[in-house]
Amino acid sequence: MILQYQKACQARVDGCLDALFQPPRSELARLYEAMRYSVMNGGKRVRPLLVYAASEALGGEPAQADGAACAVELIHAYSLVHDDLPAMDDDDLRRGQPTTHKAFDEACAILAGDGLQSLAFEALAARDFNPADAALRLEMLVALARAAGPAGMVGGQAIDLGSVGHKLDRQALETMHRHKTGALIEASVHLGALSSGNATPEVLAALGLYARAIGLAFQVQDDILDVESDTLTLGKHQGADIARDKPTYPALLGLAPAKAYATELCDQALAAIEPLGAPAQPLRELARFIVERRS
Ligand code: GRG
């Protein structure tokens, strides 16, 4: 069922994203091509899936969630383009293809990342793909800005870069991941819920617990895959974390306890949304997918 749901949501968000990369003038063809290359290249679309699933859990219309689904994927894509740059992780492989700065050049990749970030906020502000209520759209814009910015994802990246050569304990590792990857995953669930127009504080709190747990589970599983998977399946270099001596959950806890921790986080997520009943089924399937995925 998750595969079918996943495919339908991927096709939906890919259709919306595709429309964003039409260069308004010929001089911008290369920049738009670099942006398209960075997005339309086979990502799992986990964050848009969470947007649609959270919206559906609260009886929302997918057409009102399209803007948020595009926005979180655009922010995610920009973060990967910049993360892969020589000044950061200096990677040459992403989603099985040369990274954007390798396929184009470094300046073009920096600008493509910048452009994707701006497009994200434009997509979230547009009336056509979001709730008609302007106050709700403003609330969604602020939520995404906070999650993506210095108190969220950008801050997490700064903590990560600042920790090179230092040993992080479990708490510091958790703080870094909650910012670096958790904030955008939490925002995806939050935006999806808001887009439905039916979010109450109680439901947002339950979804917040769910999102916090799967945000961390996503990272724990990512660390496990870095140990257990292979470069072809991952579409990025397997063992890169170990090679860079990055702190990871398997390194800190051991492989079996790291797997047990991922399962525990998944169970926590499922418990948090129990009261939401049948419409939250896609969210449950997604929580399981996050800890069972192989890439
Ligand atoms: C440069 C501001 C800035 C931030 C970068 C998220 C991030 C912060 C860097 C990515 C580094 C990384 C590989 C983190 C591990 C978790 C992660 C985000 C994996 C990639 O996400 P997936 O698995 O990728 O959803 P796809 O390709 O499926 O979209």
Side-chain angles (χ1 to χ4, degrees), residues 17 21 30-43 45 73-82 84 94-95 97-105 108-114 116:
L17 286 167
F21 305 118
R30 193 158 183 270
L31 174 64
Y32 273 76
E33 198 190 325
M35 291 195 294
R36 175 185 292 280
Y37 178 86
S38 309
V39 176
M40 309 306 288
N41 59 355
R45 311 299 194 223
E73 190 63 20
L74 290 165
I75 294 286
H76 171 57
Y78 122 70
S79 82
L80 297 181
V81 172
H82 282 190
D84 289 334
R94 169 72 62 190
R95 295 172 172 170
Q97 307 286 336
T99 45
T100 306
H101 67 276
K102 289 283 175 191
F104 293 80
D105 59 66
C108 187
I110 293 171
L111 291 177
D114 292 340
L116 291 171

Side-chain angles (χ1 to χ4, degrees), residues 44 47 76 78-79 82-83 95 157 181 218-219 222:
K44 294 184 293 297
R47 295 151 193 82
H76 171 57
Y78 122 70
S79 82
H82 282 190
D83 184 66
R95 295 172 172 170
Q157 182 76 346
T181 47
F218 183 91
Q219 189 59 56
D222 213 67

